Amino acid sequence: PKSLRVSILGFFRHQEVHDYNAQKILEELPYIMRRKVLLRMYSDLIRQVKLFRACPEVFQTEMCTRLQPVVFIKGSLVYQTGEVGRDMYIVTKGKVEVVDADHRPTGEERGVGAVFGEEVCFEDYKRKETLRTKTTTTLARIKGTEMAALLKMYPNVQSALKKLYRKRCKIYGLSGAKGADDITLKVLFDEIQKPHGTVNYLQSQIDSKLT
């Protein structure tokens, strides 16, 4: 809306802005302005996602304010099987495809409104599939920890997302429950966030778990 554009321009007239960076600009906006922009950007998208369509408006609003845009050019790997993940994604523009270990298409594609990477919301940080962009694609990502916190307040949404998670685990021949390796990865993932001198060691431990 024009009034929102005027408010944002008015704010930045008093700032030192050089190179244009959408994410950086969003981070610098006051919370109220950022909330309005993100709702404008993502509210229609959230309503397109079957899992979230019937959710309370307050849930949709809280989710919109936590989403971050990220762009991948055509042919980019979003993530690979075995990789340690941190974020869940929603396709906002473009298309991604599932590829096999040799990066050959499997025939499964996900377009606007598709959700993936949901395993991180359930403390399962090891990716189960490899996803590549079929076109230049814009994704909205949300940190797994933030999504998990939201889900605790909305058990119906949590249950629906967990069904999707278990369905994909079944497709890849997994139980959907964390095994010993996944628990070890969780501990290492938690540790690697801490500001101490063992980051390289911990990363090597994670890498050894995935090989």
Side-chain angles (χ1 to χ4, degrees):
K2 183 177 179 180
S3 59
L4 179 56
R5 294 200 301 271
V6 170
S7 295
I8 294 170
L9 288 171
F11 171 78
F12 279 108
R13 283 195 183 103
H14 300 284
Q15 317 298 319
E16 288 189 14
V17 180
H18 303 290
D19 295 334
Y20 174 75
N21 182 306
Q23 186 57 41
K24 183 67 174 176
I25 289 175
L26 281 172
E27 290 172 358
E28 291 183 3
L29 280 173
Y31 173 75
I32 296 299
M33 285 187 183
R34 184 168 70 250
R35 179 177 178 274
K36 288 179 179 179
V37 172
L38 291 169
L39 280 173
R40 183 75 176 178
M41 289 172 63
Y42 296 123
S43 58
D44 289 341
L45 171 70
I46 295 299
R47 295 187 187 102
Q48 289 184 55
V49 180
K50 186 177 180 181
L51 283 171
F52 309 133
R53 193 177 300 152
C55 294
E57 185 176 344
V58 65
F59 172 86
Q60 295 180 0
T61 299
E62 288 296 326
M63 189 166 178
C64 284
T65 60
R66 288 165 170 77
L67 293 172
Q68 296 179 324
V70 56
V71 178
F72 291 86
I73 64 172
K74 179 180 179 180
S76 300
L77 291 179
V78 181
Y79 57 68
Q80 302 184 72
T81 303
E83 182 179 318
V84 177
R86 295 172 176 80
D87 306 312
M88 186 182 86
Y89 297 90
I90 304 173
V91 181
T92 64
K93 183 180 180 181
K95 190 174 290 185
V96 300
E97 60 182 351
V98 181
V99 296
D100 63 18
D102 297 316
H103 295 175
R104 294 174 299 195
T106 64
E108 182 181 351
E109 298 178 356
R110 296 171 193 168
V112 175
V115 175
F116 57 90
E118 70 287 337
E119 64 273 7
V120 299
C121 302
F122 304 106
E123 298 184 341
D124 182 359
Y125 300 116
K126 189 158 43 173
R127 298 300 193 187
K128 307 295 185 289
E129 57 192 357
T130 300
L131 287 167
R132 181 175 64 197
T133 54
K134 195 166 185 181
T135 63
T136 294
T137 302
T138 303
L139 304 175
R141 67 183 176 191
I142 181 170
K143 293 182 183 299
T145 51
E146 293 187 359
M147 188 64 185
L150 267 180
L151 292 175
K152 287 180 180 178
M153 295 186 284
Y154 299 91
N156 290 342
V157 185
Q158 184 182 53
S159 177
L161 193 60
K162 188 171 284 187
K163 284 181 181 177
L164 175 63
Y165 163 59
R166 288 174 174 166
K167 180 180 178 181
R168 286 182 178 160
C169 283
K170 187 175 181 181
I171 289 172
Y172 295 106
L174 302 166
S175 65
K178 299 189 296 295
D181 282 352
D182 292 308
I183 293 171
T184 302
L185 281 169
K186 180 186 183 307
V187 172
L188 292 172
F189 178 82
D190 291 341
E191 283 295 315
I192 205 167
Q193 308 305 310
K194 298 179 180 178
H196 49 49
T198 61
V199 171
N200 291 336
Y201 169 74
L202 289 169
Q203 187 63 59
S204 70
Q205 293 299 300
I206 290 175
D207 292 340
S208 69
K209 287 289 180 183
L210 301 181
T211 56

